[in-house]
Amino acid sequence: MSGTKGRLPCLLLASALWLAGPADAGAAARIVGLSPDRGPAAGGTAVLIEVDESLILGPVRVVFGDRPATQVRRLGLSILEVIAPPGAPGPVPVHVTYGLWGSSTAPAVFTYVSPAPRLARVEPSTVPAGSDDLPLSLEGQNFTAGSGVRVGGTLVPSTVLDPQHLQARIPAALLARAGRLDVRVTDPILAGGTSDAVRLDVLNPLPELTAVEAPP
């Protein structure tokens, strides 16, 4: 009887190890849930990951591209909460390594998005109506190679000088009439978004006195 009792824990341990053993190479575990599947390039997004196999035995490691997540928490037999590490804008594969044999899931995809551009000021901020093409300097933050400049609803030619400075050219056709023009920086690549508007005022020229004639 005592021998049977002694063998029981060994049998249970052997069964557990067999269940946690490496899966066949053609049947790799899959990530069946990744939510959200995108977040800022600065990292910090709390991501829920669900795998179609148990993660209860052995260590668990989650890698975004080539960067391991430093905060991984089990929420159930097959669900993890992970804080995404920082990454470069763009899609990266996500792998979960788990179990006593270091099994790895097939990859899922997480997309790092660029931070939204911020526009602080434009120079000049006023221009006379009827002006020729206007060179416009823009200052702000988070400008990238994909950033563009919209004046009203029109995309105008622009050049990114650095992450804080842009140079644009406003066509004369947009300056023909007096009014307010809203200038925005857009970054549609990887859902970077659009900045708040900064105002460019197109003003009627002041009246100019050129001559005075006295009545005869």
Side-chain angles (χ1 to χ4, degrees), residues 14 17 28 37 46 48 59 61 66 68 84-85 99 114 127 144 146 171 186 192 208 210 216:
L17 292 176
D37 62 0
L48 290 179
R61 184 171 183 262
D66 58 357
S114 303
V127 59
T144 71
T186 65
E208 184 177 347
T210 57

Side-chain angles (χ1 to χ4, degrees), residues 108-125:
V109 177
F110 183 85
T111 301
Y112 286 108
V113 298
S114 303
R118 296 181 181 179
L119 181 58
R121 63 188 295 266
V122 297
E123 181 63 37
S125 59

Side-chain angles (χ1 to χ4, degrees), residues 52-209:
D52 65 355
E53 286 195 10
S54 173
L55 304 174
I56 196 65
L57 291 177
V60 174
R61 184 171 183 262
V62 181
V63 179
F64 289 68
D66 58 357
R67 299 189 179 190
T70 58
Q71 298 181 54
V72 179
R73 185 163 66 104
R74 287 183 172 94
L75 297 183
L77 292 177
S78 59
I79 299 176
L80 305 171
E81 182 185 60
V82 181
I83 303 302
V92 296
V94 177
H95 295 269
V96 178
T97 302
Y98 63 97
L100 300 177
W101 278 268
S103 301
S104 184
T105 63
V109 177
F110 183 85
T111 301
Y112 286 108
V113 298
S114 303
R118 296 181 181 179
L119 181 58
R121 63 188 295 266
V122 297
E123 181 63 37
S125 59
T126 62
V127 59
S131 295
D132 294 332
D133 289 2
L134 175 71
L136 189 70
S137 297
L138 299 88
E139 293 184 14
Q141 293 180 321
N142 302 330
F143 300 158
T144 71
S147 296
V149 177
R150 286 192 176 272
V151 180
T154 303
L155 185 66
V156 302
S158 62
T159 302
V160 179
L161 304 179
D162 57 48
Q164 291 81 39
H165 299 90
L166 270 163
Q167 189 76 32
R169 180 168 292 276
I170 314 301
L174 298 179
L175 308 173
R177 298 180 181 179
R180 167 180 170 166
L181 295 175
D182 287 333
V183 181
R184 293 180 172 87
V185 176
T186 65
D187 196 349
I189 297 178
L190 301 177
T194 302
S195 73
D196 291 336
V198 170
R199 178 171 175 167
L200 173 64
D201 289 313
V202 182
L203 306 176
N204 282 320
L206 294 173
E208 184 177 347
L209 183 63

Side-chain angles (χ1 to χ4, degrees), residues 29-35 48-53 78-79 105-106 108:
R30 295 181 302 114
I31 294 175
V32 295
L34 186 73
S35 179
L48 290 179
I49 299 176
E50 183 178 359
V51 177
D52 65 355
E53 286 195 10
S78 59
I79 299 176
T105 63

